[in-house]
Amino acid sequence: MTAELRVQLGAHPVAYPLVRGLARLGPAVRVPRVGVVVSDAALARAVLTDTAAFAKTGPGSPAALWTPVVGPAVLLNMEGEAHARLRRTLAELFTPAAVTALCARVAGQRCAALRDRLVGGEPVDLVPVARDVAGAVIAGLVGLDARDAAGPAFDAAAAVTGMVRLTRPSLTPRQVARGRAALARITAPAAGAYRAGDPATVPGRMRELGLTEHEALGAVAAFVLTGTETVASFVPRLVALLSDHGLLAPVAADRARVDAVVAEALRVTVPSPVMLRRAVAPTRIGGVRVRAGDRVVIATVSAARARGGFDPDRPHPPELRRLWFGAGPHFCLGMPLAMTQVRLVLDAVLDAHLARPLRVTRRRVARRVLVPAYRELVVSGA
Ligand code: HEM
């Protein structure tokens, strides 16, 4: 069994084998009480880009799950012109220049410290390091001081996703209250960024657009939810894949290979393993007839894993390209920020490897979590 399979099974011991098994039954399969499960990359892309037939809002959709916790206007539960307008407003925060500046400011020192610890011969658990960097980046993005808010940002996201079960389409009122309380530790101080109106932050931009403080703080919660655990899950898994495939040394020596290994590690890990939609008009997905109101479960993990095990020399076909970040109007807004911080942490590890060859000396997978991850991944120099 590969280490990646152990990570997936640790998180979802029942659902992962079931979802992967459905892929063998067909590219799209109707499953009673679950919905239409799509396991093929081209069909997944067709669903995600067909906004006339599929939406993220309505009963059983992601909006039904998240809206009670984060509020109604936070991108991932919006559609149409209002959604497009908010994305345009926030787009400037994700330009190459903006994400490079933000990551250098809040993650640069953290990554230099990581490199120094590794070069000094200290065994380092990459899980808390990745959580700290991801939390710091989101804190910076929403206008908080990363020194105080990095840990709380990650903890708030984990507190909410820890309550989500794949078998339950919504949270109970008590869970909603707990989720809101956890997120308030980040959203309450972010009110200052809204009032200050700094256009380099999410709340400041939303204020410029004329959105209320309440809506802006909902968006802060949404960024905390979408942008912390995904990156924190991915970074240790990326380093483990490189180590397990004997690629730390060749990639450290040839950084032109980094983009290909990161893309391939994303294909193999798929940090966001499924995407949900609701049919709003009758249509077909492959050979399956779909009715309005049907739930559609896009098994991104199956579409991606259909191409086999980790092999950065094998190019991705067009239908699969970046599918792990979605497709269509809801394509991951944070992708440039995710890629920049991943690159910074990976460069620190690769730089250290050149000075003192590293290997994974201890690992434990996280059990029964929503986003599959390591609980501990220690790397040490020889
Ligand atoms: C490796 C890391 C990441 C992965 C794999 C990932 C994956 C995804 C996927 C698959 C979607 C689309 C979901 C759907 O259509 O149902 C998405 C949306 C989104 N992501 Fe990411 N994400 C990552 C990192 C981030 C980061 C760092 C941020 C924030 C800075 C972020 C912010 C968002 C937002 C705001 C959306 C909603 C966009 C919309 O609905 O218009 N993501 N992400």
Side-chain angles (χ1 to χ4, degrees), residues 208-275:
E208 277 190 342
L209 188 64
L211 292 165
T212 64
E213 181 175 304
H214 184 68
E215 287 166 325
L217 300 190
V220 166
F223 275 97
V224 169
L225 280 178
T226 50
T228 46
E229 269 190 297
T230 39
V231 178
S233 142
F234 178 64
V235 168
R237 293 164 83 186
L238 165 68
V239 174
L241 279 167
L242 290 185
S243 174
D244 296 348
H245 288 80
L247 283 169
L248 281 173
V251 176
D254 179 6
R255 302 297 165 96
R257 295 184 67 186
V258 165
D259 287 349
V261 294
V262 170
E264 178 65 353
L266 281 163
R267 181 189 70 79
V268 167
T269 58
V270 196
S272 207
V274 297
M275 291 179 260

Side-chain angles (χ1 to χ4, degrees), residues 56 75-76 83 87 226-227 230 277 324-326 330 332 334 337:
K56 282 192 86 165
L75 284 180
L76 52 92
H83 171 253
R87 270 188 79 112
T226 50
T230 39
R277 292 294 185 272
W324 29 94
F325 285 112
H330 289 282
C332 178
L337 191 55

Side-chain angles (χ1 to χ4, degrees), residues 19-380:
V19 166
R20 299 291 286 115
L22 287 172
R24 283 191 282 279
L25 298 181
V29 180
R30 180 179 289 281
V31 182
R33 291 203 299 277
V34 173
V36 178
V37 179
V38 180
S39 307
D40 169 80
L43 284 184
R45 202 171 277 282
V47 170
L48 294 170
T49 49
D50 183 352
T51 50
F54 302 101
K56 282 192 86 165
T57 48
S61 69
L65 182 63
W66 299 121
T67 303
V69 183
V70 295
V74 300
L75 284 180
L76 52 92
N77 54 5
M78 297 167 80
E79 296 290 1
E81 182 45 34
H83 171 253
R85 192 158 152 255
L86 182 51
R87 270 188 79 112
R88 277 196 302 275
T89 307
L90 296 175
E92 269 180 52
L93 300 177
F94 297 95
T95 61
V99 298
T100 304
L102 173 61
C103 288
R105 181 165 62 81
V106 301
Q109 197 54 44
R110 286 174 157 82
C111 291
L114 167 65
R115 189 195 54 225
D116 293 349
R117 289 169 69 194
L118 290 170
V119 171
E122 186 187 330
V124 178
D125 182 358
L126 289 182
V127 170
V129 171
R131 289 177 176 181
D132 178 53
V133 169
V137 166
I138 292 298
L141 182 72
V142 302
L144 301 182
D145 187 334
R147 280 169 303 190
D148 314 323
F154 183 86
D155 294 345
V160 176
T161 59
M163 297 188 297
V164 176
R165 295 285 173 275
L166 296 181
T167 42
R168 261 192 265 127
S170 59
L171 297 173
T172 65
R174 253 181 91 175
Q175 289 176 320
V176 169
R178 267 171 42 211
R180 292 170 80 124
L183 288 165
R185 292 184 58 202
I186 292 298
T187 54
Y194 178 86
R195 287 172 203 151
D198 178 357
T201 67
V202 168
R205 288 232 152 237
M206 291 184 69
R207 181 179 164 159
E208 277 190 342
L209 188 64
L211 292 165
T212 64
E213 181 175 304
H214 184 68
E215 287 166 325
L217 300 190
V220 166
F223 275 97
V224 169
L225 280 178
T226 50
T228 46
E229 269 190 297
T230 39
V231 178
S233 142
F234 178 64
V235 168
R237 293 164 83 186
L238 165 68
V239 174
L241 279 167
L242 290 185
S243 174
D244 296 348
H245 288 80
L247 283 169
L248 281 173
V251 176
D254 179 6
R255 302 297 165 96
R257 295 184 67 186
V258 165
D259 287 349
V261 294
V262 170
E264 178 65 353
L266 281 163
R267 181 189 70 79
V268 167
T269 58
V270 196
S272 207
V274 297
M275 291 179 260
L276 299 178
R277 292 294 185 272
R278 193 178 60 95
V280 289
T283 182
R284 298 187 82 87
I285 305 177
V288 178
R289 196 190 296 271
V290 175
R291 296 178 292 266
D294 276 349
R295 191 167 181 240
V296 180
V297 179
I298 296 172
T300 321
V301 68
S302 294
R305 296 293 317 222
R307 304 285 298 177
F310 184 72
D311 179 1
D313 293 327
R314 191 178 48 212
H316 297 160
E319 68 276 13
L320 199 54
R321 210 170 157 257
R322 292 179 173 168
L323 191 62
W324 29 94
F325 285 112
H330 289 282
F331 183 83
C332 178
L333 184 63
M335 185 195 79
L337 191 55
M339 298 305 268
T340 305
Q341 55 180 309
V342 165
R343 176 80 202 224
L344 270 182
V345 184
L346 182 60
D347 271 338
V349 171
L350 295 175
D351 288 349
H353 185 84
L354 289 177
R356 184 188 278 267
L358 302 171
R359 63 192 180 88
V360 175
T361 50
R362 189 175 155 79
R363 65 177 99 190
R364 276 185 301 157
V365 304
R367 305 240 164 248
R368 302 202 177 255
V369 284
L370 185 66
V371 179
Y374 283 106
R375 192 171 142 208
E376 181 183 36
L377 188 96
V378 178
V379 286
S380 319

